[in-house]
Amino acid sequence: MAIVLNPSQAVTLDKLLEQIDTQGLDWKIKNSSNQPLPSIYGLGSLSNAGKTEISFLSNAKFFPHLLKTEAAAVILPQKAVDHLPDTVSFAMVVCENPYLMYARIAQWFDNFRLNSIPKQIHSSAIVAPDAIIEEGVSIGPLAVIESGVKIAAGSIIGASCVIGKNSVIGNNSILYAHVTLYHDVIIGQRCILHSGSVIGADGFGFAPDNTHEKGAWCKISQLGRVILGNDVEIGACTTVDRGALEDTVIGNGVKLDNQIMIGHNVRIGDHTAMAACVGIAGSTQIGARCTVAGAGMVSGHITIGDDVHVSGGSAVTSDILEPGRYTGVFPIAPHGVWQKNAAVLQQLAQLRRRIQQLEKK
Amino acid sequence: MAIVLNPSQAVTLDKLLEQIDTQGLDWKIKNSSNQPLPSIYGLGSLSNAGKTEISFLSNAKFFPHLLKTEAAAVILPQKAVDHLPDTVSFAMVVCENPYLMYARIAQWFDNFRLNSIPKQIHSSAIVAPDAIIEEGVSIGPLAVIESGVKIAAGSIIGASCVIGKNSVIGNNSILYAHVTLYHDVIIGQRCILHSGSVIGADGFGFAPDNTHEKGAWCKISQLGRVILGNDVEIGACTTVDRGALEDTVIGNGVKLDNQIMIGHNVRIGDHTAMAACVGIAGSTQIGARCTVAGAGMVSGHITIGDDVHVSGGSAVTSDILEPGRYTGVFPIAPHGVWQKNAAVLQQLAQLRRRIQQLEKK
Amino acid sequence: MAIVLNPSQAVTLDKLLEQIDTQGLDWKIKNSSNQPLPSIYGLGSLSNAGKTEISFLSNAKFFPHLLKTEAAAVILPQKAVDHLPDTVSFAMVVCENPYLMYARIAQWFDNFRLNSIPKQIHSSAIVAPDAIIEEGVSIGPLAVIESGVKIAAGSIIGASCVIGKNSVIGNNSILYAHVTLYHDVIIGQRCILHSGSVIGADGFGFAPDNTHEKGAWCKISQLGRVILGNDVEIGACTTVDRGALEDTVIGNGVKLDNQIMIGHNVRIGDHTAMAACVGIAGSTQIGARCTVAGAGMVSGHITIGDDVHVSGGSAVTSDILEPGRYTGVFPIAPHGVWQKNAAVLQQLAQLRRRIQQLEKK
C-alpha cells in the first residue's frame, strides 16, 4: 500500500504537474468529464489506485485495467486515449512517456518523507571537531563522523552511519541508517546509499608467503580509495572495496542493487546498472550503459565494453568488447530430466568423437 | 561446544520433559537401568554428548554411535529401542519424532540466554517520544526507535538496531544487533531477524531517462511497504526490499537464511524456506511450502506454485506451476575435463544437425 | 591514488627496508646512479608511481612499464636488473620475491593509519562492567561490549561494533566499524574483520513440524559457537553462522573475502582462501590451502580435501578428495547462440540414444 498524503499535502492535478520535474516531457491535461480537476492524495497501479489517486499506463497490455481503474487521474499516451470509450471518468495526463512521468511523480510523493527529516545534527551523533558539515545537512542519531570528513550542503546521514576519516560526501546525497564508509572515500552529489552498504573495505589482496609456513598468505594492505560519481545508487548490503594502489571508480549515474560486490580497482562506466547479487572481481573494467542482471558474475582483470548486457546467473570469464546480450546459464528442468542430461554432458567430448567416427564411415 | 547449564538451571529428565512444548508429540521415559533419572545439563550429538547431557537419534545411520554414546539420556524411536542391547546405561525418551523433540529441547536450553536479557529500555537507546513501547519489551544499548513506531509486548530489540518511522513489530519478536527497518515496515509475531538484515530498503526501480543524457536512469521512488507474517525468520545480512507501489509480502512461517535478497513486490507463501545466498527478483510470486536451496536464483515477474523445490545453484527463469524438484546446475569436474566438454557445448546445435544428417543417410 | 606520507613520516630507502618485516626475504639495495638514496613518500604501480614513490616488478609482462616508470625506487628480481639499460635512474631493491616485499611495505605504509587510532575506550562506548579490556585496546565511539567479553591487548574495536556476551578477541585483532559478534564467539590473534560482517548468527536449522500446521517448521536453537583461528581475515558483509551443537571452526590464516556465507558446523582448514560471494553450506569440511574463486558454492555435509581449487561460479555437490582444480560453469555466449545450444542441452540424453542407434547400424 503506497503512501497516501494527508489533506494539507494533497494538491489538484494541475498543481501536481507544476511541482514535478517535467524537463524533457511533453504533456497536457485532458479532463474528460468537464468536472473540476481532482485533488491527488496518492499514486497507485491501475488495478489498485483509489478514487483520489493518480495512476499510469506504461504498457499496452494493461489497457484492459485502464477500462476498470478507479483512479482519479491516469497518465497515458495519445494512442491509448484514442482507444478509450467516452464513458471513462478519470482525468487524463496525455504524455508519450508515462513511465518516466510516473517516476518523477513518485519522487514528488517521496519528498514529503525526505523533507520531514530535520536538517540538523542529532545531539547523540559523534562528530569530530574538525569535520566540515555544511548548511542544511542532517546527521541522524548515533552517527559517527570521523576526523577530516567533509559533508556538503543538503546531504542526509542516517542513524548509526559511520563516516571514516577524511571521507567526502557531495551535495544532496542520502546515506540511510547503518552505512559504513571507510577512510578516504569520495561520494559524489545526489548519491543514495542504502543500509548495510560498506564502501572502502580492503580489497582481497594477499601475497603467498611460505617464509613462515607452507601455504600462508601475507596481507597486501589496500592503500587506494573508492570514488563514486554523481547520481550513484548503492543497494542494501552492497560492498565496494577500496583499491590496492589505485582507486576503485564508479561512474556517474551507476545504479547498483542490493548485495552486490565490487572488487578492488574495478572501474564502472556511466549509467551502468546491476541487479542484486552480482559480483565483479578485482581490476575489471566495465563500460558505460551496461547492465548485469541478477547474480551475474564477472571475473577479474577483464574488460567489458559499452552497452553490453549480461543475463542473470551468467559468468563472464573473458573480455566482451562487442555490444549485445550475453548469456550462460544452465536451463532448469525437472530434477530427473536434469540428471539424465547432466550425465551426458560429462561425455560430450566423447560423443563428438563418436559422431565424427560415424561421419567417416 | 554447546551451551552447558549451571547447577541451578539443570533439571532431572522428567522435569525437562514437563517444561518443553510437547504438543503433538507422544513420548515416554524408559529408564533402562533402574537408576534415578539423570539431571540434564546440556544437549549434544550422540558422539559428543557428555555424561550429563541429553542426545537424540534421528537417523538410523547413526545407530552405531548410539551404542557408544556417553549421553545421560537419548531421545529415540521404539524401533531403535528394540535393537538395543540390555547393556546400554542411558535413560531413554521413546518418541517417534526425535528430531522435532530435539528442536523443542534446544529451544528450552536457549531460553536461558533469551530470558536473561533485561526487559527494559537501555538508557543509551534513542526512543522517539511518540513511539509506543509495550510492556516487557527489551531495547538494547544505542538502538534508535523513530517516531510513530509500535513495538508489542515481549519483543527484544538488539543493540544498535534502527527502527524506521511508523514501523510496527508484533509480540515476542527478536531483532538481533544491527538490524535495520526502514519506515512503514510491518513485522509479525514471534519473528526473528538476524544482525545485518535490512528490511524495507528501496526496490530497484528506474525509468530510462534520456532527456538529460543518453542512457541515464530516473529513480522510481519506492512507496510500498514490507509486511512480514508471524513466525518468520530472516538471516544475517538478508535484505527484503519495499514495494514500488504495492507491498512486498512474506507469509507466515517463512524461513530465510543469510545473505538472501528479496526484490520489491515479491510475495512468498506460508512456510516456504530458502537457504543462503538465494535471490528472488522483483514482482515474483512464490507459493507455500516451497524450498529454494543455496544460491538458487529466481527471475522477476514469474510465478512459482506451491510445493516446488528448487535445487542449489539453479536459476528459475520462467513459471513453475507443477510441484516437484527442479534443477539446473552445471556438473563440476576436473578442470581439464570441464574444458573439453564445455567447448563441445558451444557446438551442440551443430552436433544435433550432424546427427540428423547421419540419420537421413 | 594511494596514501602519501607527510614529510615527517617519509624515510630514506635504506631506513624503510630496516623498518619492514623482511623475514625470509633476501634483498640488497642497488643505487644505479651514485646519487643519495631517495626518500620514500608513497607506494605505487610502475605506471602510476610518482617521483618520490617506490614501486615493484612482480611479473615479467610489466617489464616495458619498468623502462618508463617515474618511481624513485623499484623492487625487482636480479633477472630484470640484468636486462635493464644503464640509463634508468631509479634506485633498486633487488629481491627474488618482489610481490611479497611489496606486501610487507604496503603494511608499513598502512600502519601509519592504524597507529593513529587512539588506544583508549571512547567515552560513548557502552562497556559492561565485567568485561575484561586489556592494555592498549582501542574501543571506538558507540561500540557495545556486553557482559563477560574479553578483549586482549592491542586489539582495535571500531565504531558501532557490537560484541556479544562472553565473546573473546585475541591480541592485535582489528574489527572495523559495524562488526557484529553474537555471544560466545572466539576470535584469534591478528584477525581482521571488516564492516558489516556477522559472526555467530544462528545456523539455518529447522525440524519439520506438522503438529500445528501442514508444512510448518520448528526452530532448532543453535547452541554451538564460532571459533576463528589466528590471522583470519573476514570480508565486509560476510557471515559465519554458529554451530547447532558443535562449533563452526575457521582455521589459522584463512582469508574470506566479502559477502561470503559460512554455514553452521562448517570446518575450514588452515590458509584456505575464498573470494567474494562464495557460499559453504552447513556441516561441510574443507581442507587446508584450498581456494574457492568468486561465487563458488559448496553443498552441505560434504568433504573437500587439502589443496583443492574450485573455479568461480562452480557448484561442488559431492566430496572432492583429490587435490587439483575443479570447474563447472556454463560458458557464456551471445544470447542467440546460447539459446540454440541450451535448447539442445535439454535433449542430450535423447541425442546420445540416437548416436547409439546410428552406431548399431
Side-chain angles (χ1 to χ4, degrees), chain C residues 12-28:
Chain C
T12 53
L13 182 59
D14 51 339
K15 290 272 194 290
L16 170 61
L17 288 159
E18 277 171 27
Q19 290 178 25
I20 69 165
D21 168 18
T22 52
Q23 200 181 340
L25 287 175
D26 279 326
W27 59 273
K28 62 175 183 210

Side-chain angles (χ1 to χ4, degrees), chain A residues 1-3 21 23-24 43-45 48 56 99-100 102-104 106-107 109-110 113 116 122 124 141-142 159-160 176-178 192 194-196 233 236-237 253 255-259 271 273-277 289 295 329-335 338 342 345-349 352 355-356 358-359, chain B residues 126 142 144 160-162 165 178-180 182-183 196 198 201-202 204 206-209 211-221 223-225 237-239 241 244-247 259-261 297 310-311 314-316 325-333 340-341 344-345 347-348 351 354-355 358:
Chain A
M1 188 196 73
I3 287 170
D21 167 19
Q23 200 181 340
L43 173 61
S45 64
N48 286 81
F56 62 97
Y99 197 60
L100 181 54
Y102 150 55
R104 302 250 180 103
Q107 289 186 10
F109 275 96
D110 207 30
R113 177 181 63 82
S116 75
H122 193 276
S124 64
L142 303 171
S160 289
Y176 283 96
H178 281 141
I192 299 173
H194 284 285
S195 295
E233 185 155 348
C237 293
K255 310 297 182 187
L256 303 182
D257 198 358
N258 298 4
Q259 312 242 25
H271 308 308
M274 301 188 188
C277 304
R289 297 176 307 276
V329 68
F330 203 104
I332 199 165
H335 186 72
W338 170 82
L345 188 64
Q346 302 286 39
Q347 314 163 349
L348 218 44
R352 185 174 55 174
I355 293 172
Q356 285 165 339
L358 286 165
E359 287 170 333
Chain B
I126 309 285
L142 303 171
V144 175
S160 290
C161 284
V162 176
K165 218 168 160 176
H178 282 141
V179 169
T180 310
Y182 278 56
H183 61 97
V198 176
D202 285 348
F204 198 61
F206 300 91
D209 183 356
T211 63
H212 299 279
E213 192 174 354
K214 180 188 165 198
W217 301 99
C218 177
K219 179 176 178 68
I220 299 171
S221 295
L223 305 175
R225 299 176 300 178
C237 295
T238 282
T239 57
D241 278 357
L245 289 171
E246 314 307 328
D247 299 322
Q259 312 241 25
I260 288 175
M261 162 60 183
M297 290 287 153
V310 177
S311 297
S314 302
V316 182
R325 183 177 174 198
Y326 296 82
T327 305
V329 69
F330 203 105
I332 198 165
K340 278 182 201 152
N341 290 318
V344 182
L345 188 64
Q347 313 163 348
L348 218 45
L351 280 190
R354 287 161 65 183
I355 294 172
L358 286 165

Side-chain angles (χ1 to χ4, degrees), chain B residues 240-300:
Chain B
V240 182
D241 278 357
R242 64 191 318 112
L245 289 171
E246 314 307 328
D247 299 322
T248 304
V249 181
I250 311 291
N252 293 322
V254 168
K255 311 296 182 187
L256 303 182
D257 197 358
N258 297 6
Q259 312 241 25
I260 288 175
M261 162 60 183
I262 306 294
H264 55 179
N265 298 94
V266 166
R267 288 171 171 262
I268 301 179
D270 291 355
H271 308 307
T272 283
M274 301 188 188
C277 305
V278 163
I280 311 294
S283 300
T284 279
Q285 302 208 18
I286 297 182
R289 297 175 306 279
C290 293
T291 58
V292 183
M297 290 287 153
V298 182
S299 295

